[in-house]
Amino acid sequence: MQKYDPGTIEPKWVAAWEAEDLYRADDEDTSRPKFYALDMFPYPSGDLHMGHAEAFSGGDAVARFALMRGHNVLHPIGWDAFGLPAENAAIKRGIHPKEWTYANIDQQRSSFRRMGMSFDWSRQFNTCDPEYYRWTQWLFVRLFERGLAYRKLAPTNWCPKDQTVLANEQVINGRCERCGTPVIRKDLTQWFFKITDYAQRLLDDVDELVDWPDRVITMQRNWIGRSEGAAVEFEIAETGDKVEVFTTRPDTLWGVTFFVFAVEHPLVMKLAEAGGTAAEVKAMADALQATPLTNREQAESREGVPLGVHVVNTVNGEKVPCFVAPYVLMEYGTGAVMGVPAHDQRDFEFARAHGLPIRVVVQPEGEPRDAETMTGAYDHEGVMVNSGPFDGVRSPESVGAVTKWLEEQGKGRAAITYRLRDWLISRQRYWGAPIPIIHCEDHGEVAVPEADLPVLLPDDVDFRLGGESPLARHDGFVNVACPTCGKPARRDTDTMDTFVDSSWYYFRYCSPDDTAEPFEPDRVARWMPVDQYTGGVEHAILHLLYSRFLTKVLHDMGMVGFTEPFPRLMNQGQVIFGGASMSKSKGNLVEAMPFVERWGSDALRLTILFAGPFGDDIDWKLIAPDHLHRRPAMNAWLGRVHAAVSEATERDASQPEELTRHTHRTIKAVTEALERFRFNVAISKLQVLTNGIRSTLERGEGARDAASALVQMLGPFAPFMAEELWRDALGNGKSVHVSSWPSFDPELAREERVTLVVQVDGKVRDRLEVDAAADEATCRELALASENARRFVDGRQVRQVIVRAPRLVNIVTSG
RNA sequence: GCCCGGGUGCCGGAACGGCAGACGGAGGUGCCUUAAAAGCACCGGCCCGAAAGGGCGUGUGGGUUCGAAUCCCACCCCGGGCACCA
């Protein structure tokens, strides 16, 4: 008998599967139900590491399971190939980003092949291919036409190191997500996608996400950040200017004792001049402009500068002083807030710092607060006081009552504010899809006509860092005729955020060779929505939100008939090392291929999927630290499977019923575990069955049927071993991966003999073997007759006997 | 601060409210081997006990229940997300 050698088995089947075209999704076949199994496509930076191995082992198991259950499976792969890492790596190495990117893609592709992933390779594409980004640009133009792509001067997050603007989402704790450099503020004209138009729908349609992890849904909700309240109009006493504020607490309007503007508020300089404080205000504005956003955000000081003017409190006519302070942000609400120190902690601190009055207008019942002695704001429920007509009104009703009154008085209205901002998509970098816009002196922003797409990214560009987009330095790219009038004009020199590329790639897989449109609506209708999306939780917000947004836009354009692309989402955990996330810079990145070469792809998949629940993080250091020297348990198990199955096929003896029952129980358990992505549990059941087969063989009995089922169930986890045994040892002609997933007979899956646990007062005192069909009376009788139990019952009075036939009897005594 | 997760042997982890620790790892003992590795067999929560057996055990404290790792309340600790959001 031959020993298990993955090094010869695995490459052999890679070649066979490709020759047989085993994993091609069939666009025409409607006899089988479709199943779109999507894995978040990888970024081609270096070769595959253990994080890839985890994500794709899980995704591949899902796809293979669906295939064996009779689905027509679409399981595609591609590369998210534009973006900063490629550009940075290229600058560092002095080569072209294209070269670096395509080399990495080649390497990852060959590694995926070696691992035997069940991808339909005929659909592969890269987002940096002109055939792909042509359609990214096409989508940009469609959004532009619909008013969903627009340019505005905006304070941006600027990374001084990467020399580019970052989206809010790419700023982590005030630092650049990529390089960790503190981000500073810079006002630039930028392209945005108007995702805020879809804020409410993005929130509402969360209901259509039938199977997403709760935490991801929560993150999406928090990111959209809907707040309900009121918009109230105030008037500046000295100038008559009107100012609107948003508040979630209109019931505290009578407690307003001051008013604060953000420095960027359009009225600020005018008011400062009127109030005679222009110099101080200008100084503060300049200081803030030069201050990195980090410092501004972390400032806990309540500094502020008086504007020298007053605002008239809309509800009672009182005049209160106005200030400019950094704690008020132009980006949220209206950029101006009413100061209610008694009921907002920030306002409280500001009032104390500037000697402003504090007025309690909401009193907690039972323990009234006193402005003099308060040590912090009271921001909970209570009864309104000092509030004119509203004295005595209780929260939470008070908020609605005041809002209604404001509307009647024409002083305000109910309002909703979202935390979500528009999506900043322009990048002043080279390695991305050029924005297909031409700037004409006479016609402004003109979209590149569809026939002229793609706007090719020129190869001969000096892409090293500079203050502006590298494309701006390429005259041949920049200078172009206006599509409308033909006069000399300039191309837009920004490129698109890579999140734009990745927000629609799953549509392209449905018809990847389409040269007339981004995707064929009929094919998309055929394959989408995605049946199971697998990927990392690091994309819980950005990628998923953008994809959901774009799908809704395409829906509104009449191109797709659904509004959510991924109703089911599964997040794998991260593979970490020694408690820290793996990264090249930390030097703890564990690459996948050395393991594969040494012990096989099957062993790697099993090691990772067996390590714990799929959604939990895996610490490689704890799971297989010394894997290149020590034989992994999964490789050893596969060796035993190989030996046992081979032996089972050579034996004529009949299979004992006990093993048949065990097999059916295992099929049931593994099927259920796979349906819920409980790979670790499924694999453990397969190991138990292996042990059962081995002891059966040891007793000289047969195990062919059990072995056959085991091999099939191994398919999603260890595709090579399964195939080898299925075709070679078991002698089947067609691939195990297109065989029908084994079914179980519920009658056989039920245990025949079970352990009846006998408890006395809740403690286990005996275990009896009984027929699984034993009824309540029988169990009760057997339990009461048990020697071991009686030793604890004697001398006591039996008060109650709980029977859960055939598993448990609890004899409850007293005394 | 707010919002999510999660605390089970030495380790990864199992466990429809009903035998806690399945299945593995690390370790130990034995077999095989000149030897090592590999393989195979057995042991493996803690305490008492020679054993039979008993007691204690799922972060802490309480509660519900015949019965709680599991349900409820409070607290402690760890991880993640958001964070001057008006």
Side-chain angles (χ1 to χ4, degrees):
Chain A
M1 189 177 53
Q2 217 177 324
K3 254 193 104 183
Y4 167 46
D5 177 21
T8 48
I9 290 177
E10 297 189 349
K12 176 178 77 183
W13 291 117
V14 168
W17 295 336
E18 286 184 13
E20 292 167 16
D21 214 2
L22 198 62
Y23 306 117
R24 184 185 289 274
D26 191 337
D27 287 311
E28 313 303 331
D29 180 6
T30 51
S31 65
R32 295 175 294 166
K34 68 96 180 177
F35 191 97
Y36 188 169
L38 181 66
D39 307 308
M40 288 183 186
F41 64 167
Y43 194 89
S45 56
D47 202 356
L48 304 181
H49 53 68
M50 290 305 176
H52 293 109
E54 155 130 70
F56 289 96
S57 296
D60 203 44
V62 168
R64 289 178 180 281
F65 182 49
L67 190 61
M68 290 180 78
R69 298 238 274 186
H71 288 91
N72 182 13
V73 173
L74 171 59
H75 186 210
I77 187 72
W79 276 269
D80 184 15
F82 267 140
L84 264 165
E87 198 166 334
N88 290 343
I91 289 167
K92 197 170 153 194
R93 291 168 174 77
I95 55 171
H96 197 280
K98 198 179 205 171
E99 197 185 319
W100 186 83
T101 300
Y102 281 96
N104 282 330
I105 290 171
D106 284 347
Q107 181 160 53
Q108 290 194 355
R109 184 175 41 228
S110 104
S111 296
F112 276 139
R113 282 211 157 99
R114 172 64 186 80
M115 286 191 72
M117 293 297 165
S118 66
F119 297 137
D120 178 349
W121 289 101
S122 70
R123 293 171 190 258
Q124 182 217 313
F125 57 76
N126 314 314
T127 59
C128 62
D129 295 339
E131 297 76 31
Y132 182 86
Y133 71 72
R134 169 186 183 180
W135 301 112
T136 306
Q137 293 172 336
W138 184 93
L139 284 165
F140 177 96
V141 171
R142 295 288 90 78
L143 263 69
F144 178 70
E145 289 166 353
R146 298 177 71 87
L148 290 170
Y150 68 97
R151 231 157 61 113
K152 67 173 179 188
L153 186 71
T156 59
N157 304 297
W158 177 265
C159 174
K161 180 152 181 287
D162 291 336
Q163 294 278 307
T164 190
V165 162
L166 303 169
N168 286 332
E169 296 86 340
Q170 290 167 329
V171 180
I172 310 295
N173 289 327
R175 286 166 181 276
C176 172
E177 175 190 62
R178 295 235 55 83
C179 65
T181 308
V183 167
I184 63 166
R185 229 176 78 115
K186 190 165 181 175
D187 289 340
L188 288 172
T189 303
Q190 301 288 316
W191 283 99
F192 289 84
F193 281 169
K194 214 168 185 181
I195 193 171
T196 51
D197 272 9
Y198 286 75
Q200 191 57 49
R201 284 169 67 187
L202 288 164
L203 205 54
D204 291 341
D205 290 353
V206 158
D207 293 341
E208 290 175 41
L209 308 175
V210 293
D211 194 12
W212 276 37
D214 287 343
R215 61 177 168 160
V216 176
I217 287 182
T218 306
M219 283 191 242
Q220 295 249 322
R221 280 212 177 97
N222 292 345
W223 194 259
I224 296 165
R226 178 186 155 110
S227 286
E228 291 179 32
V232 186
E233 194 167 85
F234 285 67
E235 190 180 305
I236 305 296
E238 288 81 357
T239 66
D241 286 300
K242 308 274 195 208
V243 190
E244 195 175 65
V245 297
F246 172 75
T247 178
T248 54
R249 294 294 304 275
D251 57 323
T252 64
L253 268 163
W254 281 264
V256 172
T257 57
F258 60 94
F259 201 91
V260 194
F261 288 88
V263 254
E264 302 90 346
H265 195 286
L267 274 177
V268 159
M269 283 324 294
K270 178 186 173 190
L271 297 181
E273 272 158 33
T277 60
E280 291 101 306
V281 172
K282 180 87 175 32
M284 166 169 270
D286 289 348
L288 282 173
Q289 189 72 38
T291 309
L293 282 168
T294 28
N295 293 9
R296 183 176 175 186
E297 276 168 4
Q298 284 164 4
E300 278 172 24
S301 77
R302 291 288 97 128
E303 61 175 321
V305 173
L307 276 168
V309 296
H310 297 78
V311 87
V312 180
N313 188 341
T314 305
V315 298
N316 58 12
E318 266 182 30
K319 287 185 188 172
V320 298
C322 295
F323 292 82
V324 173
Y327 85 88
V328 174
L329 308 172
M330 194 60 220
E331 297 85 44
Y332 185 78
T334 63
V337 302
M338 57 189 216
V340 187
H343 306 293
D344 180 281
Q345 187 59 26
R346 292 154 302 169
D347 295 348
F348 181 87
E349 289 163 16
F350 190 82
R352 280 284 156 89
H354 297 266
L356 294 160
I358 294 171
R359 185 189 300 157
V360 175
V361 292
V362 176
Q363 281 292 13
E365 293 190 65
E367 35 168 340
R369 301 300 162 101
D370 177 6
E372 298 301 317
T373 59
M374 281 173 94
T375 54
Y378 177 77
D379 53 9
H380 306 288
E381 302 207 330
V383 187
M384 290 176 69
V385 295
N386 298 321
S387 297
F390 287 93
D391 284 355
V393 179
R394 286 175 169 72
S395 46
E397 290 75 26
S398 51
V399 173
V402 174
T403 306
K404 189 162 168 259
W405 179 81
L406 287 168
E407 277 173 352
E408 285 162 5
Q409 302 282 313
K411 294 174 172 178
R413 60 195 163 80
I416 292 160
T417 295
Y418 299 90
R419 207 184 66 95
L420 184 70
R421 319 270 165 79
D422 277 338
W423 173 14
L424 199 172
I425 60 131
S426 34
R427 296 290 179 273
Q428 289 67 50
R429 295 296 293 244
Y430 166 68
W431 193 234
I435 289 178
I437 290 287
I438 292 165
H439 299 280
C440 169
E441 264 185 45
D442 296 342
H443 299 93
E445 294 155 357
V446 182
V448 173
E450 189 172 337
D452 293 348
L453 295 178
V455 176
L456 284 171
L457 184 66
D459 285 337
D460 53 337
V461 169
D462 176 9
F463 51 79
R464 286 167 304 183
L465 297 179
E468 54 184 350
S469 172
L471 290 177
R473 296 193 287 260
H474 190 291
D475 292 342
F477 178 83
V478 172
N479 299 315
V480 66
C482 168
T484 306
C485 62
K487 283 205 262 182
R490 285 176 59 85
R491 277 195 198 283
D492 199 291
T493 55
D494 286 354
T495 53
M496 281 187 253
D497 179 6
T498 37
F499 277 100
V500 179
D501 307 329
S502 61
S503 66
W504 75 279
Y505 75 105
Y506 44 91
F507 288 105
R508 186 70 181 168
Y509 283 139
C510 298
S511 54
D513 299 322
D514 200 328
T515 53
E517 55 202 342
F519 55 83
E520 214 175 290
D522 285 351
R523 294 252 159 117
V524 164
R526 163 110 183 75
W527 290 110
M528 288 198 64
V530 169
D531 292 273
Q532 186 63 54
Y533 198 21
T534 307
V537 73
E538 68 272 17
H539 291 117
I541 299 174
L542 307 185
H543 163 63
L544 294 171
L545 196 67
Y546 296 155
S547 298
R548 296 180 59 216
F549 160 64
L550 202 93
T551 299
K552 289 177 201 304
V553 174
L554 291 169
H555 172 86
D556 293 352
M557 287 167 61
M559 289 184 72
V560 304
F562 48 90
T563 55
E564 286 292 340
F566 322 122
R568 289 163 207 280
L569 172 72
M570 173 172 75
N571 282 137
Q572 81 276 6
Q574 277 188 65
V575 179
I576 60 175
F577 192 89
S581 60
M582 296 192 306
S583 76
K584 230 179 240 172
S585 55
K586 281 184 215 149
N588 64 352
L589 194 92
V590 185
E591 297 218 316
M593 296 324 282
F595 188 117
V596 171
E597 297 307 332
R598 182 80 178 84
W599 304 110
S601 158
D602 283 347
L604 176 56
R605 292 168 180 245
L606 288 166
T607 300
I608 283 184
L609 294 180
F610 181 66
F614 191 60
D616 289 8
D617 287 353
I618 292 170
D619 194 330
W620 191 260
K621 200 174 177 183
L622 300 176
I623 287 304
D626 197 23
H627 67 256
L628 291 184
H629 303 291
R630 192 183 269 270
R631 186 180 187 187
M634 291 300 140
N635 177 286
W637 172 47
L638 287 172
R640 291 192 293 273
V641 169
H642 188 264
V645 172
S646 303
E647 195 179 336
T649 57
E650 287 159 12
R651 188 169 294 182
D652 287 332
S654 66
Q655 178 169 307
E657 192 189 333
E658 185 203 328
L659 184 61
T660 304
R661 288 181 171 280
H662 184 180
T663 306
H664 281 254
R665 279 204 305 279
T666 306
I667 294 169
K668 182 170 191 282
V670 171
T671 304
E672 288 168 0
L674 263 171
E675 282 166 350
R676 294 158 59 200
F677 316 118
R678 290 164 53 82
F679 306 127
N680 58 328
V681 177
I683 292 165
S684 79
K685 301 290 182 198
L686 294 178
Q687 292 179 327
V688 178
L689 181 61
T690 307
N691 296 342
I693 291 171
R694 296 179 75 217
S695 44
T696 302
L697 292 170
E698 240 165 68
R699 291 195 300 268
E701 298 174 302
R704 196 186 159 98
D705 290 349
S708 172
L710 173 67
V711 166
Q712 284 190 287
M713 288 188 282
L714 216 44
F717 307 106
F720 292 116
M721 175 57 83
E723 190 74 312
E724 175 75 10
L725 292 171
W726 182 252
R727 297 215 219 187
D728 202 61
L730 290 159
N732 291 289
K734 277 176 139 178
S735 171
V736 67
H737 302 297
V738 291
S739 70
S740 294
W741 184 255
S743 57
F744 62 90
D745 176 346
E747 205 45 50
L748 287 170
R750 260 210 348 254
E751 302 199 46
E752 208 177 24
R753 301 284 294 175
V754 298
T755 306
L756 175 70
V757 172
V758 184
Q759 297 182 335
V760 177
D761 294 326
K763 285 190 197 303
V764 179
R765 296 303 180 186
D766 202 2
R767 297 182 174 92
L768 308 169
E769 280 285 303
V770 301
D771 192 288
D775 64 7
E776 207 173 293
T778 313
C779 291
R780 181 192 175 97
E781 207 174 306
L782 283 167
L784 288 170
S786 151
E787 266 312 307
N788 289 333
R790 284 180 62 170
R791 290 189 7 238
F792 292 88
V793 174
D794 284 348
R796 290 161 166 268
Q797 195 185 345
V798 174
R799 224 169 23 136
Q800 197 183 354
V801 181
I802 310 275
V803 183
R804 291 286 177 271
R807 297 264 175 204
L808 177 129
V809 175
N810 189 8
I811 303 164
V812 186
T813 69
S814 62

